[in-house]
Every structure is written in C-alpha cells, then in structure tokens.
Amino acid sequence: MAGRKEAEPIAPLTVEVDRPSPLPADAQQAQVTPGLSPGLRYVKRADTKLPAARVLGPSPNPATNLAIADIALRATSMIARQAVERALLGRAYAPRKARQILRGRSMAQVLLHRSIAKVAMRSIPGALVVGGSLIAKTLYDRHKEHKAAASGAGKIEEMAKDGAED
C-alpha cells in the first residue's frame, strides 16, 4: 500500500520502580515492548519469583507452610461443620442424643455426603445438579410430610442407638 510507513521497531525500555519492593533488584525492572498495534504496549515482568528466604510462613520450606495451612483450614472446617450439625439437631433433640446421632452415622453415609459435597464444589454444573436434587428431595419430603417424618425419625433413632453403643 502506497503512503503507509512500516512501524519502526522500538528498543525495549527498562522502567525503575520508585517504591521499595520485596522482589530482588533484577525483578524490579519491567520491559516495555511493542504490542500488536502502534498505540498498544504491554509490560512483562522479568522474574517475579520470591527467593526462598523471603517466603512468608513459620517454615522456610514452602511445602511445609502449605501443609500447615491445609491442616489448619481442614481442622477449622471440621469443627465448624460439627458445631452446625449439633446446632441443627439441638433444636429437636437433647445435646447428648444429638452427639449420639452424629456418632451413629455409618461410614457409607459419611463418604456419600462428602463425595456429593465434592461434586457440588468442583463445578457450577455439579453445584446445580446437587442443589436441584436437594431442592427436589425437600419438596418431595414436604409433599409426603407424614411418611417422611416417620421414616426420618426411625432412621434417627437407629443412628442414636448405634452411637450409644460406641
């Protein structure tokens, strides 16, 4: 095309950061390079990894810090879950019986509930399927209220007996 000039390549520039940075000196410089059109440019960081001595946490080993955080979060989650379960059962049952009911759950029930929760947490379609199923089950139970109440009470009594034996 006549009359159009080719854009001259622009040499990479370095930009110094004015504020103190926890990154090493070589990572504090950014490269400005030409983009796809004359008015666009993007910035690339040279190296953004923190040195091992600057990793936050109680241990200098990042894998240990990750394990500590994972264990702490899982323990906190478990304690909160147990408190919510006891509170929900505490409305209808004495605290001792609520503990017996929770202890009386079978391993199959626990694994089933955890796997359903995992499916719901991993994806939006999974959450929709699990949520929809729970809503459908709730509506079905409300429709068959008398049968569902008797069936649920029988299962709870059985779980309480199993929990009292432990």
Side-chain angles (χ1 to χ4, degrees):
M1 298 179 132
R4 266 192 126 178
K5 288 185 181 179
E6 294 245 352
E8 292 182 25
I10 300 172
L13 301 174
T14 57
V15 180
E16 292 292 328
V17 178
D18 292 337
R19 64 187 191 316
S21 172
L23 299 174
D26 60 337
Q28 292 178 15
Q29 296 179 350
Q31 293 180 344
V32 180
T33 57
L36 298 175
S37 68
L40 297 175
R41 291 194 268 176
Y42 63 96
V43 177
K44 281 190 199 174
R45 292 263 178 210
D47 182 24
T48 57
K49 292 183 180 177
L50 289 175
R54 298 237 181 188
V55 173
L56 302 176
S59 172
N61 184 341
T64 303
N65 290 334
L66 184 61
I68 291 169
D70 187 39
I71 292 167
L73 288 172
R74 285 180 192 270
T76 304
S77 171
M78 188 183 307
I79 290 168
R81 181 181 47 81
Q82 289 173 353
V84 169
E85 288 172 342
R86 275 194 227 123
L88 289 173
L89 289 174
R91 289 183 175 186
Y93 302 99
R96 182 176 179 209
K97 186 163 186 170
R99 264 187 255 114
Q100 289 174 348
I101 290 168
L102 292 175
R103 268 193 258 134
R105 290 184 292 187
S106 69
M107 184 59 83
Q109 287 175 323
V110 172
L111 293 176
L112 177 67
H113 296 167
R114 284 187 182 169
S115 62
I116 291 171
K118 275 259 201 227
V119 168
M121 287 176 21
R122 286 194 175 171
S123 67
I124 292 174
L128 292 175
V129 168
V130 170
S133 300
L134 292 175
I135 290 170
K137 173 69 171 139
T138 302
L139 292 175
Y140 176 78
D141 286 347
R142 285 186 178 201
H143 179 69
K144 305 282 185 178
E145 187 171 350
H146 297 292
K147 285 184 182 178
S151 172
K155 287 181 183 176
I156 291 291
E157 288 300 322
E158 187 178 317
M159 288 168 56
K161 286 179 188 174
D162 291 343
E165 291 172 1
D166 290 344

